[in-house]
Amino acid sequence: MLIRSTGRTLQMARNRSLKSLDLTKSVNNSVNVSAGDTASLIYLWNPWTIITCVGSCTSPIENLMVVIMLHGACSRLAPLAAFGYVMATHLSLYPAILILPVALLLGYGPDTPPTKVFLQKGLSANKIDMSDNGKGTSQKGFGQFSWKPILHFILWVFIWSCYVLSLNSIILNKVGGLQEMFEKTYGFILTVKDLSPNIGVLWYFFAEVFDFFRSFFLIVFNMNIIFMVLPLAIRLKHRPCFLAFVYTAIVAMLKSYPSAGDSALYLGLLGLFANELAEMQFTFFLFFGYIGVSLLSPVMHNLWIWRVSLSLYLYLYLYLSLSLSTHTCCVLLLT
C-alpha cells in the first residue's frame, strides 16, 4: 500500500512537471500507466519477495522501513521520513546513504525537471512574447529548494535516534551496552568476518584473498559504495526518488551480506518508473535476463557450493547477475 501511494504521488508530480513545460499531450498519453499499481504488483508477485516470506526472513522489516522513509519523503512528512530513516539505518547500515535522496525529496519535491529545461523554455518564451509574466511565475516555483523540511527532518532524526539508542542502552545494559551492540552489528557488517556462502560475491573474494591485503580490500569495497553517492546525486538531483532506487540497487549488489529481500525491494521500486520503462530500450533482454538468472540460481548454487565446479557457465552466470542491474540503471539514466 505504501509503494502504491508513493507511485501515485510520483505520477502526480510528473504530470505537474509536464504541464509546467506545456507538454499536455504527454500527460494525456501517460494516464493509462499507473506507476503505483505496477510497482505494488511487481513487489507482491516478485519471486524474490515470495521466497523471502517463505523463508521467514527479517528482510521485509528492513524493506518496510525503507519504503516508509521514501513514502514520508515523497509526501514531505518529515517525522515519518525520519522514523523510517533511523529504523532502516538501525536495522542495516547501508540505508544511511539514502540521506541525500530524502533531503532532495523534502527540498525539491518528488519530481522536478532540471533547471536548464526551464531556462531553455524561458528563453524561447521570451523570444515569442516578452510581456508574458504568468509562465515565469509558475516556473520559478519548481526549481526552488526549501530548507524548512530539511531542518524538520534533521530535528526528527535526532529525536528518533536518541529514543532508539536510549531503548537499546536500557535493554542491553547487562550484556555490554551500546559499544557491544555496534561491534556485533555495524562492525560485523563492515569487517566481513563471516565467510559463509551467500548470494553476494564478497564472501568468496575474502575467502581467497591473503590476510596481509584484507584490511586494504575492506577499505576498497566499503568505500566503493560511498564513491558513487555524490556523482549520482549531482546527476539525478531533479529525480530524487529514482536516485533512491539507484542507491538501493547498488547496495543490493555490493553490500557484504546481501539477501533475496534486497533484490525484491529494488525490483519493486523499479515499477515506480513505469512511464520511463515504457520508452526504455532492451526491455525484452532485461526482462528475460532477470528470469533466466533467477531460474538458474539454484542450479549454480549446487554447482558452486556442493559440487565445487567453477565452470565457464558459472562465471557467465555471475557476470550476468551483476551486469543486469547495472545495465538497467544505466539505460534508465540515459532515457
Side-chain angles (χ1 to χ4, degrees), residues 75-130:
S75 304
R76 309 192 88 172
L77 300 174
L80 185 61
F83 173 76
Y85 178 77
V86 170
M87 292 303 300
T89 308
H90 176 68
L91 296 174
S92 179
L93 178 62
Y94 293 98
I97 65 174
L98 296 176
I99 183 69
L100 287 180
V102 171
L104 293 174
L105 281 169
L106 293 172
Y108 283 115
D111 187 3
T112 304
T115 308
K116 62 180 181 180
V117 177
F118 285 122
L119 293 177
Q120 293 174 359
K121 185 176 180 295
L123 291 176
S124 61
N126 290 332
K127 291 180 180 179
I128 297 174
D129 187 7
M130 296 294 294

Side-chain angles (χ1 to χ4, degrees), residues 3 39 42-44 46 48-49 52 59-70 88 95 98 244-245 247-249 251-252 255 259-273:
I3 294 178
I42 291 176
Y43 185 79
L44 285 175
N46 189 355
W48 296 113
T49 307
T52 304
S59 298
I61 302 177
E62 301 175 9
N63 297 343
L64 173 63
M65 296 305 164
V66 173
V67 175
I68 287 176
M69 173 182 59
L70 294 179
L98 296 176
F245 158 75
Y247 284 170
T248 306
V251 166
K255 68 186 299 186
S259 63
D262 300 320
S263 300
L265 176 62
Y266 86 84
L267 288 176
L269 295 179
L270 183 62
L272 294 176
F273 315 101

Side-chain angles (χ1 to χ4, degrees), residues 10 18 30 39 85 162-163 179 187:
L10 289 176
L18 293 176
S30 63
Y85 178 77
C162 293
Y163 182 72
Q179 183 178 359

Side-chain angles (χ1 to χ4, degrees), residues 90 165 177-189:
H90 176 68
L165 292 177
L178 293 178
Q179 183 178 359
E180 185 73 13
M181 184 195 73
F182 289 139
E183 292 178 358
K184 299 296 183 181
T185 54
Y186 297 156
F188 183 82
I189 293 173

Side-chain angles (χ1 to χ4, degrees), residues 218-258:
L218 279 175
I219 297 175
V220 170
F221 279 103
N222 289 323
M223 295 298 294
N224 190 22
I225 299 177
I226 300 177
F227 285 152
M228 301 182 188
V229 171
L230 188 58
L232 288 172
I234 295 174
R235 175 65 180 85
L236 297 172
K237 63 180 181 179
H238 62 286
R239 299 295 304 276
C241 196
F242 180 68
L243 178 64
F245 158 75
V246 174
Y247 284 170
T248 306
I250 291 175
V251 166
M253 291 185 291
L254 300 179
K255 68 186 299 186
S256 56
Y257 298 103

Side-chain angles (χ1 to χ4, degrees), residues 274-286:
N275 297 287
E276 289 80 0
L277 289 172
E279 302 176 359
M280 189 179 70
Q281 298 179 352
F282 309 110
T283 307
F284 179 84
F285 169 75
L286 292 173

